[in-house]
Amino acid sequence: MGMSENSKGVILAVASSAFIGSSFILKKKGLKRAGATGARAGVGGYTYLVEPLWWAGMITMIIGEVANFVAYVYAPAVLVTPLGALSIIVSAVLAHFMLNERIQKMGIVGCVSCIVGSVVIVIHAPQEHALNSVLEIWNLAIQPAFLIYVAATLSIVLALVLHFEPRYGQTNILVYLGICSLMGSLTVVSIKAIGIAIKLTLDGISQVAYPQTWFFVTVAAICVITQLNYLNKALDTFNAALVSPVYYVMFTTLTIIASVIMFKDWSGQNVSSIASEICGFITVLSGTIILHSTREQEPPPPVGTVTWYVSNDSIKSPEDEHLITLRSSDYYEP
């Protein structure tokens, strides 16, 4: 007996989480190295583009995203997206050992909650609805309810980019991650449409000639670039163990909302199954909140402080050096 479509989606989603969770740590270490030699990404710098470790993280993330991409072809978003909680566990554990971002005992409880909630969602997840043409997906995308969601999403993103980012981007994590998550929800529905089009094309029903296929490709490309840009800023500005769970909570919630509106994932399910999925999702969210609240905060970078190590003896250790420190509060020019 062959493996079910949902089972294939679950396996791919779990593998995706492992790769993506690791990529957060690799990219964070790359951003730290790049920030030590040039302008930080959080203040508009792009020196991380020449940092090999950042690219290692990018390659790892791409592998994870490809696996995630294929998972959406086989299983509904309400099943695939919550399994991203496993990437939080991976990134939290790796951050504990590689970035010295300590995970407390309650954080372990949060990890367990994420796993339990994910299992509940897998058990009660709906089966994927069969779609036979990109035109069917297009008809779902131009439903009034989904168009309202898209208009609201783009309006909020513009407000965050134009008004809130210049004022609060460096102090409030919700600004950068809000942009990532909102655009991410549109990315997922576009990626799912592209995946179905590719699958149908490989099965002999070509979808290449439809302009709607290329529209979804364009939307996905724009959304992915925007996500990566603001995710880099969030990772460079805030603690990696804080970025991962908050991003997951916001991204997953908005993606499920978008998918339920567009693809009607819960259509045909009974109230009991839907309630179980919601409970599982809330359990996962609770786990991420526990994990987030028990992690150490990363101190902000010092402002207005310059330190030189002055010595003619190259063998001396930093502890033996003479230090000269200038602070902005010591020299003020009106």
Side-chain angles (χ1 to χ4, degrees), residues 4 37 43 47 52 56 88 94 101 121 128 173 175 187-188 225 232 238 242 260-261 266 278 283 286 288 319 332-333:
S4 69
T37 58
V43 293
T47 54
I88 301 174
L94 292 179
E101 297 177 359
I121 291 172
E128 175 75 337
I173 194 173
V175 175
T187 300
V188 168
I225 291 171
N232 280 331
F238 303 99
L242 174 62
V260 167
I261 293 174
W266 285 340
I278 293 174
T283 303
S286 300
T288 59
E319 290 79 7
Y332 172 75
E333 294 183 5

Side-chain angles (χ1 to χ4, degrees), residues 105-154:
K105 291 182 178 179
M106 283 302 295
I108 298 175
V109 175
C111 292
V112 173
S113 297
C114 290
I115 294 172
V116 171
S118 297
V119 171
V120 172
I121 291 172
V122 169
I123 292 173
H124 297 279
Q127 293 296 317
E128 175 75 337
H129 297 302
L131 293 169
N132 301 313
S133 169
V134 74
L135 294 179
E136 290 185 30
I137 305 173
W138 178 256
N139 290 331
L140 295 174
I142 59 175
Q143 300 171 91
F146 187 71
L147 290 177
I148 291 172
Y149 175 83
V150 172
T153 295
L154 295 179

